[in-house]
Amino acid sequence: GEVREPRRFTYQELRALPAVIDTSDFHCVEGWSLLDCAWEGVRFSDLCDLVSPTERARFVTIGCERDYTTSLPLPDMLEPDVLLAWGLDGRDLTPEHGFPLRLVVPRKYAYKAAKWVRWIRFTAEQELGYWEARGYSNRADPWREERRA
């Protein structure tokens, strides 16, 4: 994608990066929330520093198992609470909750918090993700209840 320093990380290499624990709420598009989730992982902004996005990079597409994708504007991804997480509440994620790696974007509905992350691509144009291509809101703001496009 639109980066100066393309990188590949093994799971062990990601886990060796400086980790943080960030507590945030998790909002499902179906109307329920989990409060005070303690996510452990690496800040997306720290990974961004390692790959040096070009000036054309305006969006980030996240690719996952089962051909699931989601996409967000780069400024949203650079918020300090956006993580690539491997842990929740002091334990490693289970496969059901996204092991080995899940995106955490607290200011968005959970369909933006992709499970089973496999790749990341920086793009000049936004690529609609799985749910967005099916009529869900691309902005996904839970405070504005932006569920459908």
Side-chain angles (χ1 to χ4, degrees):
E2 294 289 340
V3 295
R4 291 180 187 87
E5 301 288 331
R7 299 275 309 261
R8 285 196 134 186
F9 294 93
T10 66
Y11 183 64
Q12 292 75 22
E13 289 170 336
L14 276 172
R15 295 280 308 241
L17 293 174
V20 297
I21 296 174
D22 191 86
T23 301
S24 61
D25 300 337
F26 184 85
H27 306 286
C28 181
V29 72
E30 293 177 351
W32 56 267
S33 296
L34 292 175
L35 306 180
D36 301 325
C37 299
W39 298 100
E40 181 179 6
V42 62
R43 289 189 200 285
F44 183 82
S45 59
D46 291 344
L47 282 179
C48 196
D49 290 343
L50 296 174
V51 299
S52 300
T54 69
E55 49 283 333
R56 288 181 34 88
R58 295 179 40 230
F59 300 94
V60 180
T61 301
I62 308 295
C64 306
E65 288 293 315
R66 302 179 188 155
D67 296 323
Y68 186 89
T69 59
T70 193
S71 177
L72 290 138
L74 182 55
D76 289 351
M77 293 291 289
L78 294 176
E79 292 290 338
D81 56 0
V82 175
L83 307 179
L84 285 170
W86 52 74
L88 174 61
D89 295 332
R91 296 179 298 280
D92 283 348
L93 291 174
T94 62
E96 175 186 5
H97 293 108
F99 176 85
L101 202 61
R102 110 173 270 152
L103 178 66
V104 176
V105 189
R107 293 180 177 98
K108 303 293 181 188
Y109 278 121
Y111 61 88
K112 293 288 192 178
K115 299 180 190 180
W116 314 302
V117 172
R118 295 293 181 239
W119 53 264
I120 298 168
R121 178 173 51 233
F122 292 76
T123 62
E125 302 296 324
Q126 189 161 31
E127 303 170 333
L128 290 180
Y130 179 87
W131 286 113
E132 298 83 355
R134 288 160 175 78
Y136 279 73
S137 168
N138 198 27
R139 291 183 8 159
D141 186 332
W143 303 112
R144 293 190 170 139
E145 297 189 13
E146 293 174 336
R147 291 177 170 88
R148 302 292 285 172

